[in-house]
Amino acid sequence: MTNRSEPYVVCLPREPGIPLVVSIPHTGTLLPADIRRRLASPEMAAQPMTDWHLHELYDFLPELGITVIHAVYSRFVSDLNRPPDGSALYPGRFETGLVPLETFAGERIFSEPPGPEELERLRREFHEPYHARLAELLTGHVDARGRVVLVDAHSVASGANRLHPALDRDIYLGDRDGETCGSWLRECLRTAFEVEGLSVSVNDPYKGGYITDHYGRLPGVESIQIEMCQRVYMDELMPEEGPRHRSFDIARHALRRVFTALAARIV
């Protein structure tokens, strides 16, 4: 369902599956009418900062026994990878909040930004249900298997912005400087991506957001974030092409091999 009480889709594998969950929190594009009409410009209506088409790019995961949860609504409604109390992930560095008011490039998102009461409503209606369901999925695996791996999947435009200079690597892995998972998980993914000819950076400039940080510190949970440069699978200037772009299926096949290698380590 994609109503206000369930702002996510869960794709379950055939039983029994393996203790591996993939979260895709920034792939959603739906905007409630009251939010859309207050966007500051046509450029904001095009929803920069979206992790374009990731739920389609990773649609093979349930076939490998992997559970997937992905967002339905835009991060302009509620950023699911930010702390619910709005606290900073990287104190002293520019970052967007629970409901972002500026883009990574410093552009104003809203002509009329949400006030405190609306921010709380958005948190309650969009952020809270996603995390309740994600926590339920993780707890189910921990209860049944004693452990679970969480991969938080993202993509990013490769141009420079206030967070980083132009990105020259293809894949950016983040485990909060080794605090949210064992080195085996980081090295398994690094090796698998490099086998595919993709260059990898670890914890620079992306160390993992709220999802990686919060859940990776819970008993039985290991978590890591994957940021993929969007040029790997799409034309960054024409996101509407999406799966029709020539590189999309090439990237999907590479990802399938990467996650097959990871799944073999977890079974």
Side-chain angles (χ1 to χ4, degrees):
M1 296 178 64
T2 59
N3 57 38
R4 291 291 186 93
S5 63
E6 288 190 341
Y8 55 78
V9 169
V10 173
C11 302
L12 296 172
R14 293 183 178 179
E15 293 298 334
I18 61 174
L20 174 55
V21 175
V22 173
S23 163
I24 314 177
H26 292 157
T27 192
T29 56
L30 287 185
L31 285 166
D34 58 333
I35 296 289
R36 181 178 290 279
R37 70 169 178 264
R38 287 155 49 203
L39 294 176
S41 66
E43 289 75 20
M44 294 305 102
Q47 298 187 57
M49 305 199 306
T50 299
D51 292 5
W52 294 107
H53 312 293
L54 278 197
H55 61 293
E56 297 168 276
L57 190 68
Y58 285 99
D59 64 3
F60 61 86
L61 290 174
E63 298 171 22
L64 302 180
I66 300 167
T67 300
V68 178
I69 179 170
H70 72 78
V72 170
Y73 286 87
S74 168
R75 71 192 296 176
F76 286 177
V77 179
S78 184
D79 191 329
L80 304 174
N81 201 29
R82 296 295 180 269
D85 62 2
S87 59
L89 281 167
Y90 302 102
R93 194 181 87 173
F94 167 78
E95 57 185 271
T96 54
L98 183 62
V99 176
L101 303 182
E102 295 182 346
T103 68
F104 298 143
E107 303 160 301
R108 186 168 56 116
I109 292 174
F110 297 103
S111 57
E112 179 188 343
E117 290 186 4
E118 185 177 9
L119 289 173
E120 172 57 22
R121 177 181 64 81
L122 294 172
R123 184 200 65 77
R124 187 175 61 252
E125 293 186 6
F126 296 96
H127 191 279
E128 190 174 277
Y130 186 93
H131 283 277
R133 187 67 174 110
L134 175 55
E136 182 180 49
L137 293 170
L138 296 173
T139 299
H141 282 297
V142 172
D143 289 347
R145 315 284 182 86
R147 67 184 182 117
V148 65
V149 169
L150 169 62
V151 173
D152 199 41
H154 296 260
S155 69
V156 59
S158 57
N161 59 41
R162 289 197 287 179
L163 293 179
H164 51 70
L167 298 173
D168 60 357
R169 304 294 179 93
D170 300 314
I171 303 294
Y172 294 82
L173 302 178
D175 62 3
R176 304 297 288 187
D177 292 322
E179 295 182 355
T180 61
C181 69
S183 61
W184 73 270
L185 176 54
R186 179 181 65 247
E187 295 309 312
C188 177
L189 286 171
R190 186 213 298 258
T191 299
F193 279 119
E194 289 177 344
V195 165
E196 296 299 324
L198 297 169
S199 57
V200 179
S201 176
V202 176
N203 290 311
D204 181 23
Y206 292 104
K207 298 179 186 294
Y210 172 72
I211 289 173
T212 301
D213 187 55
H214 174 72
Y215 293 102
R217 300 179 190 276
L218 299 180
V221 183
E222 294 186 82
S223 67
I224 194 166
Q225 178 175 291
I226 298 174
E227 283 276 8
M228 174 186 294
C229 272
Q230 291 175 347
R231 64 171 181 264
V232 172
Y233 70 95
M234 58 175 269
D235 183 340
E236 294 185 9
L237 299 179
M238 300 181 65
E240 65 278 4
E241 280 193 358
R244 299 191 304 276
H245 192 264
R246 62 184 180 278
S247 61
F248 195 90
D249 282 340
I250 295 171
R252 181 196 270 145
H253 291 314
L255 285 167
R256 187 182 188 109
R257 291 187 289 270
V258 167
F259 276 85
T260 296
L262 176 58
R265 292 290 304 275
I266 295 172
V267 171

